[in-house]
Amino acid sequence: MAGKGSTVSLWWLALAAGLIPLLTIHATFAVSVLEGHVSLCMPYWDSCTSISRTGRHGTSYFIFKGTMLPAAVLGILFWWLNGRWLRQLGVHTRGVLWLPWLGLTACLALGVYTLALGHAGEGFHLMRRIGVVLYFSLTFICQLLVSAGLCSHPLWRHTGSRLLNLCQLTLAVGILSVILNGVVPDFYSRKDDAFEWILALLINLHALWLAWLWRKSHFRVRLWAG
C-alpha cells in the first residue's frame, strides 16, 4: 500500500457543480412565487421574471446566497479538475492549460454577482451586470475548451463532437438574443429574461454531461502520496 497513495472518484463533485445552480434558481423561483414576490408562470418562455429577481426578496434571498456562494467555490474545483481529467485521458491541448484560470475567473464573477444581489445602487447594479456577463461568457469558453479537447482524442472524438453541438446551441441562443436586441428591441425587452433562463439551463446541462463522462471514464484523483 505504501507509495501508491489513495484515490477517490469525484464524478459526484461535477454532478453537484451542475445541479446546485440549476436547483437553486428553480427553488428560489418557487419560494418567491409562494411568498408573492413573483407571479406564477413558466419563465423559460413567459419571460415573467429574471433569475436575479427570484433571489432578491424574502426567504429566497438567503437560499440564493447560501447555495450560490458554495457553488462558486465548487465551480473553481470543477474546472481545475476538468484540466486534470483531460490530461489523464491524454489530452494536452493548449486550452487545457487555460481551464483552471478561466474557470477561476468565471466563478469569482459568480461570487461577485451573488454578493451584490439584493442591494440597491448603481455600483451594485454594475457589479451584477459585470458578474453575470463574465460568468456566462467565461463558463461557455471553458465548455468549448473541454469539448474541443475531447474532439482531439481519437477515442473521445464522437463525445466531444456532441458536446460541441450543445455549445453551438448555447452560442446560437446567445447570438439570437443579440440580434433581437438590435433589430426588435421592444420585443427583446419583453423576452430577455427567458433567454437568461435558457442559457443557464444549457450551461448547467453541459456540466451534468461532464459529470456523467467523469463517471464513465472512471476519473479518480490521488489524495496523497503514500
Side-chain angles (χ1 to χ4, degrees):
M1 300 295 291
K4 292 184 178 180
S6 177
T7 61
V8 61
S9 175
L10 291 177
W11 69 270
W12 54 269
L13 188 147
L15 181 66
L19 273 183
I20 291 177
L22 195 60
L23 292 178
T24 294
I25 60 177
H26 289 87
T28 54
F29 171 72
V31 172
S32 292
V33 169
L34 291 174
E35 294 184 346
H37 301 297
V38 300
S39 301
L40 179 61
C41 61
M42 181 54 68
Y44 287 96
W45 54 76
D46 290 337
S47 193
C48 50
T49 182
S50 65
I51 291 175
S52 298
R53 190 180 175 191
T54 67
R56 196 173 290 163
H57 305 288
T59 307
S60 293
Y61 174 87
F62 300 99
I63 295 175
F64 198 95
K65 289 186 184 292
T67 53
M68 280 300 193
L69 288 175
V73 175
L74 194 62
I76 295 173
L77 291 173
F78 173 66
W79 289 116
W80 177 70
L81 287 168
N82 266 300
R84 301 238 352 218
W85 174 58
L86 289 174
R87 287 193 294 273
Q88 282 191 20
L89 292 178
V91 176
H92 299 285
T93 60
R94 184 174 298 180
V96 175
L97 300 176
W98 284 98
L99 271 180
W101 303 107
L102 291 172
L104 171 65
T105 307
C107 294
L108 288 177
L110 176 61
V112 169
Y113 161 80
T114 303
L115 289 172
L117 188 64
H119 298 280
E122 286 300 317
F124 288 111
H125 176 72
L126 181 62
M127 289 171 62
R128 290 195 300 272
R129 293 307 303 167
I130 293 176
V132 73
V133 169
L134 282 178
Y135 172 68
F136 276 121
S137 59
L138 293 181
T139 299
F140 174 73
I141 292 173
C142 287
Q143 293 178 347
L144 273 179
L145 292 176
V146 172
S147 304
L150 290 174
C151 283
S152 70
H153 193 289
L155 298 179
W156 291 84
R157 184 176 294 118
H158 179 65
T159 300
S161 178
R162 295 172 69 182
L163 280 172
L164 275 179
N165 289 337
L166 178 57
C167 290
Q168 289 171 354
L169 176 59
T170 304
L171 181 61
V173 172
I175 292 175
L176 178 60
S177 69
V178 172
I179 293 174
L180 290 177
N181 189 31
V183 177
V184 281
D186 291 339
F187 173 80
Y188 177 74
S189 66
R190 298 193 299 271
K191 295 297 180 180
D192 59 338
D193 291 334
F195 280 101
E196 183 183 37
W197 281 88
I198 293 171
L199 287 172
L201 174 63
L202 293 174
I203 281 177
N204 286 296
L205 284 178
H206 193 285
L208 293 174
W209 198 336
L210 288 179
W212 179 74
L213 294 178
W214 284 19
R215 185 176 186 182
K216 180 182 177 182
S217 63
H218 307 290
F219 174 49
R220 301 181 70 86
V221 174
R222 191 175 301 281
L223 294 179
W224 61 80

